[in-house]
């Protein structure tokens, strides 16, 4: 393994700032949007980036939770279009390589580690969405609670801006490892969250919060996938949400009072 050169070495002052960020994050509500946003803000300031994104992936499909830093709404709309529909026909070419990595348990990648320049710039994804959204070089930080699900962040620079260096990747990796606790689910969900839930719904919610899929929850509880899906739909109705990401954001952050089943939107299939 090659020894890093002086330009690749993370500075002591940067590590001090990283540790300060970790301490600040511990004081914020665990799993909340404010904690995730503060993490991204701190990373952007330390690494030097434009856009910060927090997301979850199931297989190669991206589910956005938080994004900010776009220069204008038109740029952000390109990103939202990709997340909402276009990724099924114009997949980010780095995603298959990212899924194959099986992180250990946190790891930060630069784009060049996942796909070469030709595969990147010749892809429809980059020409159709990245170029229009005016973002290019990126860092991916990943935490994988299971082989099927990954949670993490990405930092992006302007289109045409310089690529992230190995030193910056090392710094981002050090910060991500120091702040790995932001991905850890509490052993018990707050009483205010589980209040009013049956024991079976509490157990199902706890397994979903650990990152398990419905299929994995069914295996864990020795129930049929159909039964677990009914439990998940009941949780959606209870919390008034439409998707798994909304459910987890609500339950791991600061949940508002649940709406009645009559007014809850239909669950995500």
């Amino acid at each position: 393994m090659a020894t890093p050169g002086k330009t690749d070495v993370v500075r002591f002052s940067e590590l001090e700032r990283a540790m300060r960020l970790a301490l600040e994050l511990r004081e914020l509500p665990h799993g909340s949007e404010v904690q995730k946003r503060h993490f991204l803000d701190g990373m952007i300031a330390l690494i030097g980036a434009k856009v910060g994104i927090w997301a979850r992936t199931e297989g190669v499909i991206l589910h956005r939770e938080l994004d900010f830093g776009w220069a204008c709404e038109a740029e952000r709309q390109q990103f939202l279009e990709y997340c909402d529909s276009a990724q099924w026909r114009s997949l980010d070419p780095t995603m298959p390589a990212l899924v194959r990595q099986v992180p250990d348990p946190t790891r930060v990648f630069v784009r060049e580690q996942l796909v070469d320049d030709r595969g990147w710039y010749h892809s429809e994804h980059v020409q159709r969405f990245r170029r229009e959204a005016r973002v290019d070089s990126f860092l991916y930080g990943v935490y994988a609670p299971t082989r099927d699900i990954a949670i993490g962040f990405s930092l992006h620079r302007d289109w045409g801006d310089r690529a992230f260096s190995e030193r910056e990747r090392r710094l981002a990796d050090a910060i991500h490892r120091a702040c790995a606790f932001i991905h850890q689910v509490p052993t018990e969900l707050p009483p205010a969250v589980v209040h009013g839930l049956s024991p079976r719904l509490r157990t199902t919610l706890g397994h979903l919060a650990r990152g398990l899929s419905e299929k994995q929850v069914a295996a864990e509880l020795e129930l049929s996938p159909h039964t677990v899906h009914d439990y998940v739909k009941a949780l959606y109705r209870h919390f008034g949400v439409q998707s798994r990401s909304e459910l987890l954001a609500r339950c791991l952050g600061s949940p508002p009072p649940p709406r009645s089943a009559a007014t809850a939107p239909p669950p995500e299939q």
Side-chain angles (χ1 to χ4, degrees):
M1 183 174 177
T3 303
K6 286 186 177 181
T7 56
D8 292 336
V9 174
V10 177
R11 304 182 187 102
F12 180 73
S13 60
E14 292 170 327
L15 290 177
E16 280 189 315
R17 292 170 66 191
M19 295 304 105
R20 193 177 309 121
L21 175 61
L23 291 174
E24 292 168 354
L25 289 167
R26 287 190 180 275
E27 300 300 316
L28 298 174
H30 184 81
S32 65
E33 180 176 316
V34 68
Q35 187 188 49
K36 295 169 185 174
R37 179 176 285 271
H38 190 66
F39 172 79
L40 289 173
D41 275 332
M43 292 288 280
I44 286 172
L46 278 165
I47 306 298
K50 170 188 176 182
V51 172
I53 296 170
W54 189 279
R56 174 176 56 86
T57 62
E58 294 186 16
V60 295
I61 300 302
L62 181 74
H63 301 275
R64 176 190 64 86
E65 291 188 27
L66 176 66
D67 65 281
F68 60 90
W70 306 96
C72 63
E73 185 60 23
E75 291 182 359
R76 183 169 186 260
Q77 286 304 317
Q78 291 294 324
F79 170 67
L80 296 182
E81 181 185 344
Y82 174 74
C83 292
D84 293 343
S85 61
Q87 61 179 317
W88 281 269
R89 64 178 186 273
S90 183
L91 184 69
D92 180 336
T94 64
M95 292 305 296
L98 191 65
V99 169
R100 290 195 298 268
Q101 294 294 331
V102 190
D104 58 332
T106 56
R107 192 171 175 187
V108 172
F109 301 90
V110 291
R111 189 272 296 167
E112 290 81 357
Q113 290 177 291
L114 302 172
V115 64
D116 61 23
D117 284 356
R118 181 176 178 80
W120 180 245
Y121 290 109
H122 285 223
S123 69
E124 179 186 357
H125 166 76
V126 171
Q127 294 304 318
R128 170 68 179 84
F129 294 100
R130 296 275 179 166
R131 184 184 289 274
E132 294 295 322
R134 307 303 301 164
V135 289
D136 186 5
S137 183
F138 65 75
L139 287 165
Y140 279 161
V142 181
Y143 167 73
T146 74
R147 293 184 65 89
D148 302 318
I149 295 175
I151 306 163
F153 69 93
S154 58
L155 303 176
H156 305 259
R157 282 185 171 147
D158 269 316
W159 184 268
D161 201 352
R162 66 179 179 84
F164 287 100
S165 67
E166 174 59 15
R167 187 189 68 79
E168 290 165 333
R169 190 202 66 78
R170 288 172 181 271
L171 176 57
D173 190 70
I175 299 170
H176 193 211
R177 290 178 185 276
C179 300
F181 58 86
I182 63 178
H183 300 300
Q184 295 164 0
V185 178
T187 34
E188 293 187 5
L189 292 168
V193 169
V194 298
H195 178 72
L197 295 178
S198 68
R200 188 59 89 182
L201 289 184
R202 291 186 187 197
T203 303
T204 300
L205 180 58
H207 286 315
L208 292 175
R210 285 171 47 209
L212 299 186
S213 66
E214 288 186 23
K215 192 174 185 180
Q216 290 168 323
V217 174
E220 189 90 5
L221 300 180
E222 298 183 344
L223 297 171
S224 74
H226 178 74
T227 298
V228 170
H229 185 61
D230 285 343
Y231 290 157
V232 173
K233 288 194 292 185
L235 289 169
Y236 285 2
R237 288 194 297 271
H238 179 84
F239 290 100
V241 300
Q242 301 183 67
S243 68
R244 177 187 173 119
S245 58
E246 271 190 274
L247 175 68
L248 296 183
R250 181 75 56 86
C251 295
L252 298 180
S254 303
R259 292 185 286 174
S260 68
T263 58
E268 179 186 68
Q269 297 300 319

